[in-house]
Amino acid sequence: MLNIRKDFPYLKSKELDSIIYFDNASTSQKPYQVIEAISNYYAYHNAPVHRGIYSKSEQATTLYEESRETVSKFIGADKDEIIFTKGTTEGINFIAQSWASYNLKPGDEIIISKLEHHSNILPWIRLMQEKDIVLKYIPITNNFELDYKAYTKLLSNKTKLVSITSCSNAVGSITDLDFIIKHAKVYNAKVLVDAAQTIGHRDFNLKNLNIDFLAFSGHKILGPTAIGVLYISKDMQKEVRPYQLGGGMVLDVNDYDFISLNPPNCYQAGTPAIAQAIGLSQAIKYISDNIDYDLLKKHESALCAYLIQELSKFDHIKILGPKDQLSNSGHIVSFVSTLYHPHDIAFYLDQFNIAVRAGNHCAQPLFKNIGINGSVRASFYIYNTFEEVETLVKALNKLFRK
Ligand code: PLP
């Protein structure tokens, strides 16, 4: 898998002086195949989609719709269940505003968890504030995993939605989605999965899971920014209103009413992110051609295991996350030191050209829950190497052994 590094200009750029990039949970680097697909589109295919009668517009439409097809096959959905968004954040807001806001009534309950990214918290807080929806949190255990027993006690006939991350971006814990879905469905609750940290890292097929809504971001899986995917199951499309209104989503308009197109077009008003969709499709092709998910899991978790082992030698370091799970199947290691502020560690590592993330990782309720302001987070992907983690460990040893 490692011979793919040559495909990533960012990783071998002289200007960047061999950067060691460990901020993949935030965004991934792009292979030149994706970069070229985007520039080729603008150079040779640029035209509006779905509207033009001329052949260039039809070509652009074909490329754009082929991208939807590529995405649908990648996650095991039907083409018409794929809606292009700006990213995970927009996907979740979409469902909050276009489904939950219209279908839930005061007193109905939504369950999320203490592991969520702000994108899967704030839209529900607003619903709670404005529509009197009750918001409940699945707590976490001392080992930073979801408290599944507590979850089953939160569920009731009032539960209308369980909106859950498949993997915590802050501490790396992986959700047992089978368990969450199975128990939600006993109460006929709908399930939204924030798959931002799972798609492109682990084998994932919607056909094996009874999920109603799913959101992820293209930029975290080798694709461009400003493109994401929202899956809305065929059944749920009957209940989800168009998110935005305007050109491209309407069949017929009169002075005082209109008739929307069928899904997915009714959910995509305005000129879409055509080049980005094509770039995402190329990223997915790249992943399909180059990633063996079993190998990737072994590779990423071996990097986690090594880093956890080395960090565990220091008394002042605490790993935030389920160490065994991360060492077997994770891609994120989050840690704190009682001696150094996370920002100071990240700033220090930057001198060695090592990019890690420091802060609360858009998960303030989680950090408040564990009584810590933030952490240092190293997150791995397809192109990271054991030698890179060794360099990180050496740099940290130098700092900690001063
Ligand atoms: N959910 C999770 C678990 C994430 O890790 C992120 C980004 O880090 C998001 C949601 C938000 O993604 P985006 O900023 O691409 O919309």
Side-chain angles (χ1 to χ4, degrees), residues 25-26 86-90 92 117 119-120 165 167-169 194-197 217 219-220 357 361 377:
S26 301
K86 277 193 296 191
T88 312
T89 305
E90 189 176 53
I92 298 171
H117 185 282
S119 298
N120 196 25
T165 186
C167 169
S168 158
N169 67 304
D194 169 350
Q197 294 297 337
S217 304
H219 69 97
K220 293 185 197 285
R357 179 81 177 263
H361 318 298
R377 181 187 72 185

Side-chain angles (χ1 to χ4, degrees), residues 195-400:
Q197 294 297 337
T198 299
I199 301 282
H201 283 271
R202 300 290 174 263
D203 201 4
F204 189 96
N205 196 314
L206 279 165
K207 293 208 161 65
N208 307 327
L209 297 160
N210 190 0
I211 288 175
D212 301 282
F213 311 112
L214 176 110
F216 66 96
S217 304
H219 69 97
K220 293 185 197 285
I221 58 164
L222 313 181
T225 49
I227 187 83
V229 172
L230 172 64
Y231 158 85
I232 306 180
S233 73
K234 278 245 164 71
D235 278 353
M236 292 312 296
Q237 289 182 351
K238 293 173 205 134
E239 294 183 17
V240 179
R241 289 165 47 126
Y243 180 51
Q244 291 184 329
L245 307 177
M249 54 73 64
V250 81
L251 179 69
D252 191 40
V253 186
N254 295 304
D255 284 355
Y256 299 108
D257 63 5
F258 65 90
I259 301 169
S260 301
L261 286 166
N262 288 329
N265 292 326
C266 65
Y267 296 129
Q268 299 197 156
T271 303
I274 308 166
Q276 289 87 336
I278 291 167
L280 172 60
S281 160
Q282 190 58 49
I284 289 173
K285 284 182 195 142
Y286 186 89
I287 289 172
S288 307
D289 289 348
N290 291 285
I291 289 187
D292 170 321
Y293 282 114
D294 287 336
L295 282 182
L296 182 63
K297 181 169 154 181
K298 268 192 200 144
H299 177 66
E300 290 177 339
S301 58
L303 301 183
C304 289
Y306 173 60
L307 183 56
I308 290 171
Q309 172 202 299
E310 293 303 309
L311 288 172
S312 302
K313 292 177 182 165
F314 295 98
D315 289 343
H316 62 95
I317 295 284
K318 180 173 162 66
I319 309 287
L320 305 181
K323 289 186 241 177
D324 288 345
Q325 188 189 61
L326 300 175
S327 302
N328 290 320
S329 48
H331 71 287
I332 292 171
V333 177
S334 202
F335 65 92
V336 283
S337 159
T338 48
L339 301 182
Y340 300 91
H341 191 282
H343 285 179
D344 292 335
I345 296 179
F347 187 68
Y348 163 81
L349 291 172
D350 186 44
Q351 295 168 45
F352 298 87
N353 243 329
I354 301 172
V356 293
R357 179 81 177 263
N360 59 47
H361 318 298
C362 296
Q364 285 185 28
L366 168 66
F367 281 91
K368 285 181 184 160
N369 189 157
I370 53 184
I372 292 172
N373 282 337
S375 72
V376 179
R377 181 187 72 185
S379 50
F380 307 122
Y381 205 12
I382 173 173
Y383 34 69
N384 290 124
T385 66
F386 192 74
E387 290 70 31
E388 286 182 315
V389 186
E390 271 182 333
T391 307
L392 168 66
V393 167
K394 267 187 209 148
L396 288 174
N397 275 337
K398 206 167 158 190
L399 175 69
F400 297 157

Side-chain angles (χ1 to χ4, degrees), residues 33-317:
Q33 290 88 338
V34 168
I35 299 167
E36 276 176 8
I38 297 166
S39 68
N40 278 344
Y41 168 75
Y42 282 124
Y44 308 114
H45 302 290
N46 185 39
V49 292
H50 295 150
R51 291 168 211 188
I53 302 300
Y54 54 97
S55 54
K56 273 306 209 188
S57 171
E58 280 174 6
Q59 274 170 24
T61 305
T62 304
L63 287 171
Y64 178 67
E65 288 304 326
E66 279 173 1
S67 303
R68 199 192 305 277
E69 182 102 42
T70 306
V71 171
S72 69
K73 287 188 181 139
F74 185 57
I75 59 170
D78 197 277
K79 185 172 179 286
D80 292 343
E81 294 173 314
I82 300 299
I83 290 104
F84 285 123
T85 60
K86 277 193 296 191
T88 312
T89 305
E90 189 176 53
I92 298 171
N93 276 275
F94 190 126
I95 296 307
Q97 289 173 36
S98 292
W99 176 74
S101 178
Y102 289 98
N103 290 281
L104 304 197
K105 48 184 194 321
D108 283 347
E109 296 181 1
I110 294 178
I111 297 180
I112 60 174
S113 85
K114 282 284 184 188
L115 289 178
E116 304 307 318
H117 185 282
H118 293 164
S119 298
N120 196 25
I121 301 176
L122 273 57
W124 312 120
I125 291 183
R126 177 176 274 180
L127 269 190
M128 184 201 80
Q129 291 171 338
E130 294 182 352
K131 304 267 171 184
D132 286 337
I133 305 293
V134 178
L135 184 60
K136 292 188 164 173
Y137 284 82
I138 308 171
I140 52 167
T141 64
N142 290 339
N143 198 30
F144 301 92
E145 288 175 288
L146 291 182
D147 184 337
Y148 291 98
K149 206 168 163 199
Y151 165 60
T152 58
K153 291 190 184 141
L154 293 178
L155 284 160
S156 75
N157 287 330
K158 289 186 187 163
T159 313
K160 300 300 169 208
L161 176 72
V162 177
S163 189
I164 196 88
T165 186
S166 51
C167 169
S168 158
N169 67 304
V171 294
S173 322
I174 297 160
T175 303
D176 181 347
L177 283 181
D178 285 330
F179 186 95
I180 294 288
I181 296 166
K182 187 174 101 191
H183 286 270
K185 292 298 164 185
V186 170
Y187 296 92
N188 208 16
K190 306 301 173 206
V191 175
L192 187 161
V193 174
D194 169 350
Q197 294 297 337
T198 299
I199 301 282
H201 283 271
R202 300 290 174 263
D203 201 4
F204 189 96
N205 196 314
L206 279 165
K207 293 208 161 65
N208 307 327
L209 297 160
N210 190 0
I211 288 175
D212 301 282
F213 311 112
L214 176 110
F216 66 96
S217 304
H219 69 97
K220 293 185 197 285
I221 58 164
L222 313 181
T225 49
I227 187 83
V229 172
L230 172 64
Y231 158 85
I232 306 180
S233 73
K234 278 245 164 71
D235 278 353
M236 292 312 296
Q237 289 182 351
K238 293 173 205 134
E239 294 183 17
V240 179
R241 289 165 47 126
Y243 180 51
Q244 291 184 329
L245 307 177
M249 54 73 64
V250 81
L251 179 69
D252 191 40
V253 186
N254 295 304
D255 284 355
Y256 299 108
D257 63 5
F258 65 90
I259 301 169
S260 301
L261 286 166
N262 288 329
N265 292 326
C266 65
Y267 296 129
Q268 299 197 156
T271 303
I274 308 166
Q276 289 87 336
I278 291 167
L280 172 60
S281 160
Q282 190 58 49
I284 289 173
K285 284 182 195 142
Y286 186 89
I287 289 172
S288 307
D289 289 348
N290 291 285
I291 289 187
D292 170 321
Y293 282 114
D294 287 336
L295 282 182
L296 182 63
K297 181 169 154 181
K298 268 192 200 144
H299 177 66
E300 290 177 339
S301 58
L303 301 183
C304 289
Y306 173 60
L307 183 56
I308 290 171
Q309 172 202 299
E310 293 303 309
L311 288 172
S312 302
K313 292 177 182 165
F314 295 98
D315 289 343
H316 62 95
I317 295 284

